[in-house]
Amino acid sequence: MSDSSGLWGGRFSGATNDAVAALSRSVHFDWRLAKYDIAGTRAHILALKAAGYLNEAEQVKIDKALVELDKRVASGMFVAKPTDEDVHSALERGLIEMVGPELGGKVRAGRSRNDQIATLIRIYLIDQATAIRGEVLSLIDVLTTLAEEHLSEPMPGRTHFQHAQPVLLSHHLLAHVWPLVRDLERLAEWKNRASFSPYGAGALAGTSLALDPNIVSEALGLTAPMANSIDATSSRDVVAEFAFIGALIAINLSRFAEEIIIWASAEFNYVKLADAFSTGSSIMPQKKNPDVAELTRGKAGRIIGDLTGLLATLKALPLAYNRDLQEDKEPVFDIADSLLLTLPAFTGMVATMEFNTQRMEELSSAGFSLATDVAEWLVKQRIPFREAHEITGKLVAFAESRGIDLNEVSDMEFASISNYLTPEVREVLTVSGSIKSRSGTGGTAVPRVLDQISALRKLVPNTSR
Ligand code: ARG
């Protein structure tokens, strides 16, 4: 039998069925909101006092009990019972055990679990967002430092996963940083929207007790009470947006994770993972596996599932509160937990992996990746690009048929392909020349990479060592 019928017992003559109590129960996952629930109640009794429903002595007595309860929750001395339905009812039981049913029974006036839970999930997620932000900042810091350390080392740049044009390793690494910077901006903007207080909305229509919701909002460090009590209790767009940003972070990590898995293969041999951040095989003694990168990639799938499930729960829900909304919590808890589990390991793996820059350099001119440089060199000789493309195409076909590289074509052979291909074209047939020439805004040339590093340090102060 469930105890929580204590919250509504008056109208009911029979006890709740066991299967229903088991279905209803959320305390096994919402217990993590306990300290936020206590903070909400401490704020609420200030509003009750201001409106004259509690006198000073009563408020002080309840507040002391709540502070003690908070300690007992933190130390594990006070825990939910199997008969407690949710975190709110468990903590109300705890408070009543400490101050008695008469005083403890006054606290519930003017609020509902509907406005309570809508507030708690916001302040909980704001804290999780701060923790996630810290982890993402560490990764940004590590990547920016790596970009500095490998400032002018080339690697093959790819499109369609084929060799395309040489780029700097630093440029490629920073390409993984910018999306993360935007994720942090998204989190900051999300926080502005999340920082409104549903408290005072009651079950859905507001309260007739003339409680000042500003008192609660301020005590919880939020911007202001929400303007519409129905919206306050029934909307979960803020929760869904958190889930989306979390999913995007996971997706951004997964794209880099996928590259690291490929880079660590014998065929690529671009990176060597540190022992502490890779695993062995139970049967194949030679194996060193990129499990951290694989789990990062795998977590993205799980997190996308959390987001999708949450959106499906919200779809077509009529206003105002429906119990379906209890299903909003586990997905976002899982997203925050998964990110906070993944990020430190992923960042550690990235910080400790060793780049085989010699191998990357050797391959960076493979696949005729300097062909665009030849075509652009012809354009600089005032040949229309259409013709330049055609001539360069012939040059590539010629080199390919001989099994040689573009810079191995002789002056005579150049001339036989086109009169425009004078020996001067050789100046762009080097990887370093190619990279140096791409010096326009956002390009891979060293000065543009340095621009990015200084811009990142201004945007994200933590990235300066
Ligand atoms: N456990 C509930 C939830 O997470 C709290 C609100 C319950 N409200 C209610 N009317 N039963 O949504």
Side-chain angles (χ1 to χ4, degrees):
M1 288 304 143
S2 164
D3 261 0
S4 59
S5 53
L7 293 178
W8 63 72
R11 191 203 185 288
F12 287 73
S13 50
T16 310
N17 172 280
D18 282 347
V20 175
L23 173 65
S24 263
R25 198 165 182 266
S26 59
V27 76
H28 52 289
F29 60 80
D30 66 21
W31 188 245
R32 67 167 78 193
L33 301 176
K35 75 170 182 164
Y36 301 91
D37 191 84
I38 292 171
T41 303
R42 292 186 67 197
H44 181 62
I45 58 175
L46 291 174
L48 288 174
K49 181 178 74 173
Y53 294 103
L54 290 173
N55 65 35
E56 171 92 24
E58 289 174 322
Q59 182 264 327
V60 168
K61 189 169 176 198
I62 297 170
D63 195 61
K64 279 203 175 119
L66 287 170
V67 170
E68 177 57 27
L69 187 58
D70 198 22
K71 280 191 200 141
R72 291 184 191 174
V73 168
S75 70
M77 234 174 95
F78 182 82
V79 289
K81 283 189 192 170
T83 46
D84 291 323
E85 180 186 312
D86 56 23
V87 63
H88 323 291
S89 47
L91 292 171
E92 177 170 300
R93 171 179 64 74
L95 179 65
I96 286 173
E97 281 166 11
M98 292 166 85
V99 301
E102 199 174 324
L103 188 55
K106 290 188 177 185
V107 171
R108 221 199 298 157
R111 73 173 181 184
S112 154
R113 287 184 293 166
N114 296 354
D115 59 352
Q116 265 180 283
I117 194 65
T119 308
L120 306 192
I121 191 72
R122 284 166 183 257
I123 52 183
Y124 172 78
L125 291 180
I126 288 170
D127 276 359
Q128 295 301 302
T130 303
I132 292 166
R133 179 175 187 276
E135 292 299 336
V136 172
L137 280 172
S138 304
L139 177 56
I140 288 175
D141 189 30
V142 160
L143 283 169
T144 310
T145 304
L146 282 174
E148 264 191 329
E149 287 168 7
H150 299 287
L151 182 64
S152 51
E153 290 152 17
M155 71 182 287
R158 291 166 187 276
T159 60
H160 310 269
F161 209 65
Q162 310 297 312
H163 282 240
Q165 292 170 350
V167 294
L168 292 178
L169 171 56
S170 54
H171 195 52
H172 188 98
L173 292 172
L174 294 178
H176 283 298
V177 170
W178 290 105
L180 295 171
V181 170
R182 291 191 291 276
D183 288 338
L184 293 185
E185 286 169 4
R186 285 182 186 97
L187 277 180
E189 289 156 12
W190 166 83
K191 188 179 170 189
N192 291 337
R193 278 187 286 285
S195 297
F196 285 83
S197 173
Y199 237 95
L204 81 162
T207 173
S208 64
L209 297 179
L211 303 180
D212 181 0
N214 290 292
I215 295 175
V216 175
S217 171
E218 206 170 299
L220 293 177
L222 299 172
T223 309
M226 288 181 73
N228 182 311
S229 60
I230 297 176
D231 173 44
T233 48
S234 64
S235 62
R236 291 293 184 276
D237 54 304
V238 154
V239 180
E241 190 181 357
F242 175 90
F244 170 72
I245 299 168
L248 207 48
I249 292 172
I251 288 167
N252 286 329
L253 297 181
S254 79
R255 297 185 71 180
F256 192 20
E258 168 82 358
E259 289 188 333
I260 291 169
I261 293 162
I262 294 166
W263 290 356
S265 67
E267 288 79 0
F268 267 71
N269 187 23
Y270 281 9
V271 294
K272 210 170 108 192
L273 300 180
D275 285 354
F277 289 91
S278 32
T279 50
S281 159
S282 51
I283 179 166
M284 297 166 284
Q286 85 284 10
K287 288 280 274 182
K288 192 162 165 187
N289 294 328
D291 289 31
V292 173
E294 292 168 83
L295 284 166
T296 302
R297 190 174 58 179
K299 293 283 185 201
R302 169 188 180 128
I303 290 173
I304 292 165
D306 289 327
L307 168 66
T308 313
L310 173 62
L311 293 175
T313 298
L314 299 181
K315 178 186 173 291
L317 267 193
L319 305 184
Y321 179 85
N322 298 275
R323 194 62 182 276
D324 313 44
L325 290 175
Q326 180 162 301
E327 297 293 323
D328 70 342
K329 277 168 281 301
E330 285 161 294
V332 276
F333 292 172
D334 188 62
I335 290 172
D337 291 352
S338 299
L339 287 176
L340 290 171
L341 193 63
T342 305
L343 275 160
F346 187 76
T347 301
M349 173 188 64
V350 172
T352 54
M353 69 188 181
E354 243 178 70
F355 289 92
N356 186 347
T357 51
Q358 199 190 327
R359 165 97 177 148
M360 290 172 145
E361 177 161 11
E362 276 162 19
L363 288 174
S364 58
S365 65
F368 305 111
S369 70
L370 298 172
T372 319
D373 296 273
V374 174
E376 289 187 357
W377 180 83
L378 287 168
V379 168
K380 284 186 210 155
Q381 320 305 309
R382 306 296 156 195
I383 314 295
F385 188 77
R386 199 187 57 81
E387 203 180 333
H389 191 287
E390 184 77 22
I391 293 168
T392 312
K394 282 193 184 131
L395 171 64
V396 169
F398 176 83
E400 196 173 36
S401 70
R402 300 288 151 98
I404 56 174
D405 227 336
L406 296 183
N407 61 5
E408 290 167 321
V409 176
S410 73
D411 289 355
M412 257 170 58
E413 289 164 337
F414 274 140
S416 73
I417 293 162
S418 165
N419 285 336
Y420 297 121
L421 288 176
T422 59
E424 285 70 44
V425 71
R426 292 187 189 286
E427 76 200 28
V428 298
L429 284 179
T430 64
V431 166
S432 63
S434 167
I435 287 173
K436 202 169 162 205
S437 73
R438 302 195 181 274
S439 57
T441 306
T444 191
V446 168
R448 298 296 82 79
V449 174
L450 287 171
D451 287 348
Q452 294 178 60
I453 292 172
S454 62
L456 282 168
R457 284 195 169 144
K458 274 192 206 110
L459 267 174
V460 192
N462 279 32
T463 59
S464 55
R465 274 184 295 174

